[in-house]
Amino acid sequence: MGRIRLNEDAEVVRTVREGLKETGGYCPCRTEHIPEYQCICQEFRQQCTDPDFEGYCHCMLYYKEK
């Protein structure tokens, strides 16, 4: 698995982290508060298992490098 890091844009990180606080740790970009959307969301965890995947999570807080 590649390295996972925060988005290099500090404003994005600040905004998403504020949203996470308001939602109790659920992705602020999603309307449902279900376990699959708790940060780090299931979608991104699954993407990270793909050795060919490189990119941001849904809310752009995290970035997975190859």
Side-chain angles (χ1 to χ4, degrees):
M1 180 156 76
R3 181 175 163 248
I4 298 173
R5 61 171 172 80
L6 286 174
N7 188 322
E8 62 280 349
D9 185 330
E11 183 64 21
V12 170
V13 172
R14 185 188 64 74
T15 300
V16 175
R17 284 186 168 166
E18 285 178 4
L20 286 168
K21 285 179 188 175
E22 291 175 10
T23 64
Y26 292 93
C27 181
C29 305
R30 304 194 191 250
T31 57
E32 291 181 283
H33 292 174
I34 58 176
E36 294 90 297
Y37 296 159
Q38 192 134 30
C39 190
I40 295 176
C41 69
Q42 181 179 354
E43 176 185 14
F44 190 60
R45 288 192 312 264
Q46 288 175 340
Q47 289 172 322
C48 287
T49 63
D50 178 353
D52 294 323
F53 173 77
E54 181 169 8
Y56 288 101
C57 67
H58 181 80
C59 66
M60 299 192 63
L61 178 61
Y62 294 106
Y63 185 85
K64 187 236 178 192
E65 299 173 349
K66 283 191 181 179

